[in-house]
Amino acid sequence: MKVNRIILSSAVALLALCGRPLPSSAADPLASIIERDFSGRADTLTTAFINQFMSPYGFFWAIPSSHPDHESQSDYLYWQQAHAMDVVIYSYERIRDTDATKASRYRSFMRGWYNSHAHNWYHDDSDPTGFLNEFTDDMCWISLTMLHMSEALQADQYADMARTLFDNYIEPRGWRDENGFWGLPWKSNDMGRNACTNSPGCLLACKLYERYGEQKYLDTAIEIYRYMEDQIVNHLGNTGRVEDPALTYTQGTFAEACRRLYHVTGDANKLSMAQKVTLFLATSSACNHNGLLRHEGTSLDQSIFKAVAIPYLVNMALDTDVDENYRRTFVRCMQRNANALWSNLNLSAYPATFCNYYWGEPFDETQVPSLGAMASGASLMEGMARLGLQLTAEGPTAVTSVRSNETLSPSAVYTLDGRLVRQGAGAARSLPRGLYVVSHRKIAIR
């Protein structure tokens, strides 16, 4: 597979630069806050991202492939691969029904990423999967992306691999402390526990429950939630701060875990926690600087934090069970950041257009561009496109009623955040336990 640079035609480029106005009628009143359809801008950034950072093997380089040191600089790049690929998957979900050529190209990227084991640098002869890593959180992130990939491609093998990793390598590392709290350790040889491991661990367990319907996954997710609530969030004053220092990726991931647990269990306390944690992400001085998400550092870890948080911020803004005042705050936060990023891009250099670590300033072109910064920027623009398109369309985000144990035979089934799960006649038959959107209604499969 060879990745070629694509230069947009002048007409398409103009659309990408300007953006289409939103439809005059909208299913959700929050759509009126959004100034334009950000799809063209998302296409511009995602295309630049892929052309500059995608390897011929389906995984991503740490720095642009045009740089002579791109291979040596990418030796220990694993967990970041999850969030770089998520950008491509979200783009694929947005364009798959309108651009068959690009969709086919994106599918080949996903297969290459999977077949190369997401550039996993860790090796153990006893591991048949190729995805085992000493860092527990790395496997959680990779597994979450495989679940996303499975949803997008409607292919079980990726979700089944995520399940295998969880069952064989992630969950067995967990341990219970003297206070009765069970959680996941950061590494195989370091039993210390932290938010950066247990936030994605909680979300992963919940999503496995949603897909496979096995009670053990929900039990594990609730155990981790108890640990996070008591030992992490409440220890910091129960303000919504997940860590000190507060980092966007753990804020967003724990909020998403809480949101999904709320939909599975019906426990309103978990929705309250999700709102509080996301509000801290979107408004606090700990996570923001001059009204924009802050510069969190230039390392490959730090620079990709925002790429992790953005999709979960979008999900909170789209969830109609979330208080409308919170949703409005989240939509405005997203748009403010997206407009700042776009205004600071050097579009005349396209496709060598790069995102800065802080979206309120242009990238210093004397420096080497970063995978983390570029993934974060592309994630923001894809998230803004998804937000606008779903808020202005009748469908998943306009649904408020919940019905259970229904017999339906619609043509399409969606997750609560708008991703297609199945389509075709009888798509809703024999679904795993969870909440879905079918024929413009929420249904609960028990």
Side-chain angles (χ1 to χ4, degrees):
M1 177 179 60
K2 182 177 181 181
V3 179
N4 297 313
R5 293 188 175 185
I6 299 176
I7 306 299
L8 296 179
S9 68
S10 57
V12 175
L14 182 61
L15 174 62
L17 294 177
C18 298
R20 295 185 294 263
L22 286 174
S24 56
S25 61
D28 194 308
L30 294 184
S32 62
I33 300 174
I34 300 176
E35 300 166 351
R36 61 177 58 80
D37 179 356
F38 280 76
S39 298
R41 295 181 175 188
D43 283 334
T44 298
L45 264 192
T46 299
T47 300
F49 175 48
I50 289 171
N51 288 340
Q52 297 294 333
F53 291 91
M54 178 74 79
S55 80
Y57 315 105
F59 60 82
F60 294 83
W61 303 121
I63 58 178
S65 57
S66 57
H67 194 283
D69 296 329
H70 68 275
E71 290 197 46
S72 63
Q73 293 294 315
S74 306
D75 287 344
Y76 293 96
L77 195 67
Y78 185 46
W79 84 282
Q80 299 91 342
Q81 300 287 342
H83 312 298
M85 181 50 68
D86 267 331
V87 173
V88 177
I89 300 172
Y90 278 114
S91 185
Y92 170 78
E93 290 174 316
R94 179 173 54 80
I95 60 85
R96 63 186 162 194
D97 295 329
T98 58
D99 191 332
T101 300
K102 184 180 286 187
S104 176
R105 186 169 177 245
Y106 284 3
R107 286 192 293 271
S108 72
F109 294 155
M110 290 183 241
R111 288 192 295 269
W113 182 93
Y114 181 81
N115 292 334
S116 65
H117 304 116
H119 199 47
N120 188 9
W121 49 266
Y122 186 85
H123 178 75
D124 187 317
D125 289 337
S126 67
D127 168 39
T129 72
F131 291 99
L132 171 65
N133 195 276
E134 63 178 327
F135 289 92
T136 311
D137 61 324
D138 286 21
M139 290 190 291
C140 289
W141 300 118
I142 293 294
S143 295
L144 285 168
T145 297
M146 286 194 285
L147 282 172
H148 188 190
M149 191 180 296
S150 195
E151 293 164 357
L153 297 178
Q154 299 181 60
D156 291 337
Q157 71 179 104
Y158 309 112
D160 290 345
M161 179 59 74
R163 185 187 194 184
T164 296
L165 290 181
F166 188 85
D167 288 349
N168 294 348
Y169 301 133
I170 296 172
E171 193 276 340
R173 292 183 183 179
W175 59 277
R176 192 175 303 280
D177 62 28
E178 64 276 9
N179 296 314
F181 293 104
W182 190 95
L184 295 169
W186 182 45
K187 297 174 65 176
S188 58
N189 59 356
D190 180 350
M191 298 306 287
R193 300 183 300 199
N194 53 32
C196 79
T197 303
N198 285 277
S199 291
C202 184
L203 176 57
L204 175 59
C206 188
K207 291 193 71 172
L208 288 171
Y209 171 73
E210 290 175 313
R211 185 174 184 93
Y212 295 102
E214 292 189 25
Q215 186 65 34
K216 66 177 183 179
Y217 296 123
L218 180 57
D219 292 343
T220 299
I222 292 173
E223 286 268 28
I224 300 175
Y225 174 86
R226 288 183 61 245
Y227 161 75
M228 285 289 297
E229 179 186 40
D230 188 273
Q231 300 294 298
I232 303 294
V233 179
N234 288 354
H235 275 211
L236 293 173
N238 197 20
T239 62
R241 181 194 290 264
V242 173
E243 286 185 310
D244 191 11
L247 302 172
T248 57
Y249 81 127
T250 40
Q251 293 287 146
T253 309
F254 185 55
E256 177 70 357
C258 297
R259 187 186 74 86
R260 285 185 175 271
L261 277 173
Y262 156 73
H263 282 293
V264 168
T265 66
D267 183 353
N269 291 326
K270 291 179 173 58
L271 181 61
S272 177
M273 177 67 81
Q275 293 177 158
K276 182 164 50 181
V277 170
T278 310
L279 186 66
F280 193 93
L281 164 66
T283 64
S284 74
S285 60
C287 293
N288 293 266
H289 174 68
N290 289 338
L292 303 175
L293 293 175
R294 70 178 178 88
H295 186 328
E296 294 179 276
T298 59
S299 76
L300 278 172
D301 285 344
Q302 297 163 328
S303 59
I304 209 165
F305 287 166
K306 289 192 283 291
V308 186
I310 289 297
Y312 304 142
L313 181 59
V314 173
N315 290 351
M316 285 292 292
L318 289 173
D319 193 329
T320 55
D321 282 8
V322 173
D323 182 272
E324 186 171 338
N325 290 324
Y326 284 102
R327 295 179 66 211
R328 185 177 296 109
T329 297
F330 303 153
V331 172
R332 285 175 172 159
C333 171
M334 284 283 299
Q335 180 161 267
R336 188 167 59 248
N337 278 274
N339 285 340
L341 170 62
W342 189 256
S343 67
N344 281 295
L345 291 175
N346 181 3
L347 296 167
S348 65
Y350 181 85
T353 295
F354 300 110
C355 301
N356 197 14
Y357 302 99
Y358 175 63
W359 295 326
E361 299 171 353
F363 173 69
D364 180 355
E365 298 190 17
T366 66
Q367 302 299 310
V368 178
S370 160
L371 168 72
M374 196 66 186
S376 291
S379 178
L380 173 65
M381 217 56 75
E382 286 292 348
M384 197 64 213
R386 179 163 67 98
L387 187 63
L389 291 172
Q390 290 194 35
L391 286 178
T392 55
E394 284 194 20
T397 59
V399 178
T400 56
S401 62
V402 179
R403 302 196 179 190
S404 59
N405 301 321
E406 294 194 40
T407 302
L408 298 172
S409 299
S411 60
V413 178
Y414 295 86
T415 61
L416 291 179
D417 54 355
R419 289 196 297 272
L420 182 66
V421 176
R422 295 180 186 172
Q423 59 184 349
R429 295 172 186 159
S430 302
L431 285 168
R433 291 181 184 178
L435 289 170
Y436 303 93
V437 176
V438 179
S439 300
H440 304 306
R441 290 179 296 167
K442 279 185 189 174
I443 66 167
I445 304 298
R446 308 293 185 189

